Amino acid sequence: MKSKAARLVRRNHARYHQGRDDLNIVPMIDMMVILVFFLIFTAVFSKTNILQLNLPASNTAPVELPKGLKLEVIIRPNDLVVNDRNSGPLKVIENTPAGYDLDHLSEFMSQFPQMTDATILPGPAVPYDVLVQVMDTVRVYQIPTPPFSKAELFPDIAIGDAPT
């Protein structure tokens, strides 16, 4: 037989816990505080670069272009074509065994210092990384003579689809 004190403890325990089926959310709140703290500090240290692009509207008709040089860089699987929209191809830059010849493209594009806009037209199967590399090459020219520095070539870049 159990003692009277044990029965009283059991009765008090049952009376205290009767109807209290609540959920302890303190551990969940602790985890949320830690996650918020982690997300805030990782977001502060991450750096994103935003490049402004001139994208054509989907519902606009083609506009009449004024006469003059309108540079386009067409990215194909085997070469890069620097094209004038009005007159046709200016230069075809073949791929090297290592990939696209971006140095040659940068040298050729530096021949047009008076222009600030160019259009990049990737083909349907061009990887995103190649598109970004060509955009960076067209935007900035690495000066090959010491002291090495960068010059801005075409800050106004537009993107479209390559002609088929």
Side-chain angles (χ1 to χ4, degrees):
M1 197 104 195
K2 298 203 176 194
S3 69
K4 184 176 179 181
R7 278 184 289 157
L8 287 175
V9 168
R10 193 173 337 123
R11 186 182 71 192
N12 286 339
H13 183 73
R15 190 182 312 157
Y16 177 74
H17 288 290
Q18 181 180 9
R20 295 195 61 193
D21 297 329
D22 53 354
L23 180 65
N24 187 4
I25 62 169
V26 173
M28 186 178 74
I29 293 173
D30 291 343
M31 284 302 300
M32 294 303 290
V33 168
I34 291 170
L35 286 175
V36 168
F37 180 79
F38 175 75
L39 290 174
I40 288 173
F41 279 100
T42 56
V44 170
F45 295 121
S46 67
K47 182 179 179 183
T48 58
N49 293 327
I50 298 173
L51 178 63
Q52 296 294 329
L53 299 176
N54 301 322
L55 298 175
S58 62
N59 58 358
T60 59
V63 296
E64 283 297 318
L65 298 172
K67 295 296 181 196
L69 189 63
K70 297 291 182 186
L71 286 178
E72 297 176 335
V73 178
I74 301 172
I75 307 171
R76 295 183 184 162
N78 298 324
D79 57 9
L80 297 169
V81 178
V82 180
N83 192 27
D84 178 20
R85 189 177 303 156
N86 299 323
S87 64
L90 300 174
K91 177 102 173 156
V92 176
I93 302 171
E94 297 291 330
N95 287 358
T96 62
Y100 290 99
D101 192 1
L102 299 177
D103 294 332
H104 195 73
L105 173 67
S106 180
E107 288 174 18
F108 183 75
M109 295 297 279
S110 67
Q111 296 177 13
F112 308 102
Q114 71 278 9
M115 297 189 64
T116 62
D117 62 326
T119 304
I120 298 177
L121 305 171
V126 172
Y128 179 72
D129 187 44
V130 172
L131 174 63
V132 171
Q133 289 175 6
V134 171
M135 286 172 57
D136 289 341
T137 302
V138 171
R139 279 187 31 236
V140 178
Y141 175 65
Q142 179 76 30
I143 298 173
T145 58
F148 300 103
S149 63
K150 295 180 179 182
E152 191 172 59
L153 280 176
F154 297 91
D156 301 325
I157 295 179
I159 295 180
D161 288 330
T164 55

